[in-house]
């Protein structure tokens, strides 16, 4: 059963149940009012008869009075203390089948015979001869129940009539509710069929659950589209970046094939070119693989790390390789934070490598605490980064000016790896740079 039919069925059934409860309550309310009315009526009649009979002693006259007060389809009896009816007035002989029973207190009750109910009132009185007698008035409820039967019929018909609009309203409501869902399903099916990233049209003005569902779906589509775009970008960037070294290798190899073997100078030049491009490609594929792995999963080995000793150790390694001076400053002997030591070392390598590549003066490395974070800055006084490029330097393969980078031989992946490392630690990386003056990278990591 689809949701639409379920909603429809639920609404109709609940409406039906509510109507049945209301109609039944109305019926029983009327039933109880009618019955009480009748019981009251016979009680008053018995009292009235008693009052009228009090001064009368003539038997004939008593009969006349009782006859004149006989209820329709009813009976009046005078019962003595032995429960014998001494006078009975009725048009319906069957009613005499009710056994007379003397009571010495006033009483009203319901009795039934052959499916018909009767209201019976008993009232003791002092008879003209001084004995105690009981006046019994019996009245049929048949006529009152006739109108209750009509009421029952009216209520049943009303119930059936009400069912039609409730059925239609349920149908309309389920349609209104499911229309946006159906349009979502259509769009999703289209996305599946055509393999495109399409968003849902959200018309609803009220920010209801369906609107939220739609906007969540749209946000998800955005993320998917963005990721897909990034992936496409990465693939095209990667193939583009690999094309250059491959072309260099290919052209040098074909040159070698033709003349290289005879010309030692050309041979050396070509082999050098092939070697350096091969090394660059190796480095690039290594970094690309790492990035791809990082995208999939980060297995961090988080431990307490002393950033002062880590900075000193790393900068010493770099100093030896580049022969350029790096100073480490910190107001503390130890700056402790929770991080993956290997990843932090890699991060420092990337930042120091850039600082060393793009400057010639000494480099400053500051380590310390700020509020709940550990921070370190790598500052150089080199060529700096143009304003318009700052926003892109963390993108994969982005290099500010290909010409100025050719000699430094970068791949443009360093900072994007750095950003991933910082992100995986829940930290942030910022850069302040001015062309011709220098650059400062600041990394903040929560302790
Ligand atoms: P790779 O690090 O992958 O070998 P790369 O250094 O060119 O190559 P990134 O480290 O990602 O790539 O840096 C991106 C670009 O940002 C660099 O090409 C460079 O132009 C610029 N850049 C980064 N750091 C500095 C810096 N300290 N001074 C000046 N420019 C910088
Ligand atoms: Mg770099």
């Amino acid at each position: 059963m689809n949701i639409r039919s379920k909603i429809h069925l639920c609404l109709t059934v609940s409406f039906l149940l509510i109507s049945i409860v209301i109609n039944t309550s109305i019926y029983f309310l009327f039933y109880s009012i009618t019955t009480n009315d009748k019981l009251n009526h016979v009680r008053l009649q018995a009292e009235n008869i008693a009052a009228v009979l009090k001064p009368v002693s003539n038997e004939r006259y008593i009969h006349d009075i009782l006859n004149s007060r006989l209820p329709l389809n009813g009976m009046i009896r005078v019962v003595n203390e032995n429960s014998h009816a001494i006078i009975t007035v009725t048009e319906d002989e069957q009613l005499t089948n009710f056994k007379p029973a003397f009571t010495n207190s006033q009483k009203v009750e319901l009795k039934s015979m052959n499916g018909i109910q009767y209201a019976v009132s008993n009232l003791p009185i002092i008879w003209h001869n001084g004995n105690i007698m009981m006046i019994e008035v019996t009245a049929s409820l048949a006529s009152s129940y006739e109108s209750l039967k009509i009421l029952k019929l009216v209520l049943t018909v009303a119930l059936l009539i009400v069912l039609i609009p409730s059925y239609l309203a349920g149908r309309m409501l389920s349609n209104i509710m499911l229309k946006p869902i159906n349009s979502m399903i259509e769009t999703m099916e289209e996305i599946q069929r055509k393999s495109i990233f399409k968003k849902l049209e959200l018309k609803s003005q009220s920010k209801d659950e369906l609107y939220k569902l739609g906007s969540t779906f749209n946000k998800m589509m955005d993320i998917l589209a963005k990721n897909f775009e990034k992936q496409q970008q990465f693939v095209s960037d990667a193939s583009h970046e690999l094309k250059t070294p491959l072309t260099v290798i290919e052209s040098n190899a074909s040159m070698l094939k033709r003349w290289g073997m005879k010309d030692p100078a050309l041979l050396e030049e070509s082999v050098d070119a092939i070697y350096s491009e091969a090394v660059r490609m190796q480095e690039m594929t290594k970094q690309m693989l790492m990035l791809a792995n990082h995208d999939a999963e980060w297995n961090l080995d988080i431990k307490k790390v002393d950033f002062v000793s880590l900075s000193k150790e790393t900068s010493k390694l770099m100093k030896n390789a580049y022969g350029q001076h790096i100073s480490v400053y910190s107001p503390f002997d130890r700056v402790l934070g929770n991080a993956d030591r290997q990843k932090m070392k890699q991060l420092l390598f990337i930042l120091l490598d850039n600082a060393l590549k793009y400057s010639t003066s000494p480099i400053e490395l500051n380590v310390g605490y700020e509020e709940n974070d550990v921070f370190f800055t790598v500052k150089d006084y080199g060529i700096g980064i143009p304003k318009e490029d700052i926003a892109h330097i963390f993108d994969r393969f982005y290099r500010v000016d290909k010409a100025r980078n050719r000699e430094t031989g970068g791949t443009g992946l360093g900072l994007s790896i750095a950003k991933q490392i910082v992100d995986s630690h829940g930290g942030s990386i910022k850069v302040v740079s001015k062309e011709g003056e220098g650059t400062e990278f600041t990394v903040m990591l929560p302790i």
Side-chain angles (χ1 to χ4, degrees):
M1 198 192 263
N2 57 23
I3 295 186
R4 193 173 128 162
S5 315
K6 278 185 201 160
I7 294 176
H8 195 181
L9 187 74
C10 271
L11 281 172
T12 313
V13 168
S14 44
F15 210 87
L16 182 69
L17 288 179
I18 292 170
S19 304
I20 288 175
V21 168
I22 291 176
N23 285 2
T24 317
S25 314
I26 292 175
Y27 179 80
F28 279 104
L29 185 70
F30 267 83
Y31 174 85
S32 122
I33 290 173
T34 310
T35 311
N36 283 337
D37 217 38
K38 203 71 184 176
L39 286 171
N40 244 342
H41 190 74
V42 288
R43 185 177 55 79
L44 287 175
Q45 208 164 5
E47 283 170 6
N48 176 273
I49 290 168
V52 174
L53 286 185
K54 213 170 193 178
V56 182
S57 56
N58 183 318
E59 288 278 328
R60 243 188 78 85
Y61 197 35
I62 290 174
H63 263 94
D64 286 348
I65 291 173
L66 294 183
N67 264 318
S68 69
R69 280 169 171 70
L70 183 65
L72 190 68
N73 300 327
M75 172 176 76
I76 300 176
R77 291 194 289 201
V78 178
V79 179
N80 69 12
E81 276 181 297
N82 300 325
S83 297
H84 283 301
I86 57 162
I87 303 170
T88 301
V89 182
T90 181
E91 284 171 346
D92 183 354
E93 280 307 316
Q94 269 198 29
L95 291 181
T96 50
N97 290 341
F98 283 130
K99 271 211 167 339
F102 178 85
T103 59
N104 50 16
S105 60
Q106 190 175 16
K107 177 169 122 181
V108 282
E109 63 184 333
L110 282 178
K111 285 182 179 172
S112 66
M113 190 199 291
N114 301 333
I116 300 171
Q117 283 203 300
Y118 295 89
V120 181
S121 170
N122 297 331
L123 180 68
I125 61 164
I126 296 174
W127 205 238
H128 54 84
N129 57 10
N131 288 341
I132 295 178
M133 297 287 175
M134 185 190 82
I135 299 286
E136 182 202 71
V137 179
T138 305
S140 160
L141 282 166
S143 64
S144 316
Y145 287 165
E146 255 336 287
S147 32
L148 275 177
K149 259 190 211 161
I150 295 171
L151 179 69
K152 202 197 260 177
L153 185 73
V154 168
L155 289 177
T156 313
V157 171
L159 181 73
L160 293 178
I161 291 174
V162 150
L163 214 58
I164 298 168
S166 84
Y167 176 86
L168 293 177
R171 209 185 157 98
M172 208 165 77
L173 197 68
S174 60
N175 275 346
I176 291 174
M177 283 172 69
L178 290 172
K179 209 174 148 206
I181 293 186
N182 283 334
S183 101
M184 278 182 205
I185 292 173
E186 270 169 32
T187 313
M188 287 176 197
E189 278 172 351
E190 197 186 338
I191 290 168
Q192 196 189 20
R193 248 192 343 267
K194 299 185 185 164
S195 300
I196 47 160
F197 297 101
K198 196 179 164 185
K199 285 208 233 171
L200 300 173
E201 261 179 65
L202 300 174
K203 289 189 202 112
S204 161
Q205 296 301 315
S206 65
K207 305 268 185 264
D208 57 11
E209 284 84 352
L210 287 174
Y211 182 90
K212 272 188 209 153
L213 176 67
S215 72
T216 310
F217 178 83
N218 283 349
K219 275 182 214 152
M220 205 175 72
M221 271 297 122
D222 267 344
I223 295 172
L224 282 180
K226 220 182 267 170
N227 280 346
F228 183 72
E229 217 173 273
K230 263 195 202 165
Q231 204 182 347
Q232 296 280 76
Q233 186 66 36
F234 182 75
V235 171
S236 70
D237 283 351
S239 58
H240 181 260
E241 294 303 313
L242 286 171
K243 214 164 65 190
T244 326
L246 282 173
T247 314
V248 174
I249 290 173
E250 193 261 347
S251 64
N252 277 289
S254 70
M255 209 150 65
L256 273 183
K257 247 171 112 179
R258 260 182 265 161
W259 311 290
M261 303 305 179
K262 292 162 207 148
D263 182 345
L266 189 69
L267 176 71
E268 198 183 332
E269 194 188 318
S270 294
V271 169
D272 273 354
I274 290 172
Y275 176 75
S276 80
E277 286 308 293
V279 168
R280 200 159 85 83
M281 258 169 60
Q282 198 180 27
E283 181 59 26
M284 207 190 296
T285 37
K286 227 192 313 184
Q287 286 189 329
M288 266 157 45
L289 271 179
M290 195 161 68
L291 270 177
N293 278 342
H294 286 172
D295 270 359
E297 191 182 0
W298 281 83
N299 283 324
L300 294 178
D301 179 20
I302 303 280
K303 283 192 181 119
K304 272 248 165 334
V305 174
D306 174 16
F307 283 86
V308 176
S309 70
L310 181 72
S311 303
K312 284 184 178 157
E313 186 186 309
T314 316
S315 52
K316 199 171 152 195
L317 283 173
M318 299 293 275
K319 238 187 281 186
N320 292 343
Y322 286 79
Q324 209 168 314
H325 195 74
I326 305 171
S327 322
V328 178
Y329 300 106
S330 177
F332 310 99
D333 290 339
R334 278 145 64 91
V335 170
L336 293 175
N338 290 317
D340 183 318
R341 198 169 200 281
Q342 260 340 90
K343 293 274 176 322
M344 286 300 121
K345 200 168 176 178
Q346 193 187 353
L347 176 61
L348 278 171
F349 268 136
I350 292 169
L351 297 179
L352 288 172
D353 177 61
N354 283 348
L356 292 163
K357 271 199 294 196
Y358 306 115
S359 78
T360 44
S361 18
I363 288 141
E364 290 164 16
L365 213 163
N366 275 290
V367 188
Y369 295 108
E370 197 180 287
E371 285 179 14
N372 287 328
D373 290 339
V374 165
F375 79 87
F376 56 86
T377 62
V378 176
K379 188 170 185 173
D380 67 65
Y381 297 92
I383 57 173
I385 306 166
K387 224 184 191 163
E388 61 274 18
D389 293 300
I390 287 186
H392 303 291
I393 55 168
F394 294 103
D395 294 350
R396 285 170 182 178
F397 299 113
Y398 192 85
R399 278 177 283 165
V400 169
D401 175 353
K402 304 241 170 184
R404 79 169 177 177
N405 276 303
R406 200 162 289 147
E407 63 224 51
T408 52
T411 58
L413 286 171
L415 286 179
S416 77
I417 295 173
K419 174 131 178 52
Q420 284 205 353
I421 294 175
V422 174
D423 285 348
S424 73
H425 282 76
S428 64
I429 179 163
K430 273 186 221 120
V431 59
V432 178
S433 183
K434 208 158 183 203
E435 247 192 311
E437 288 184 17
T439 308
E440 183 176 42
F441 281 94
T442 306
V443 174
M444 300 283 244
L445 296 165
I447 292 172

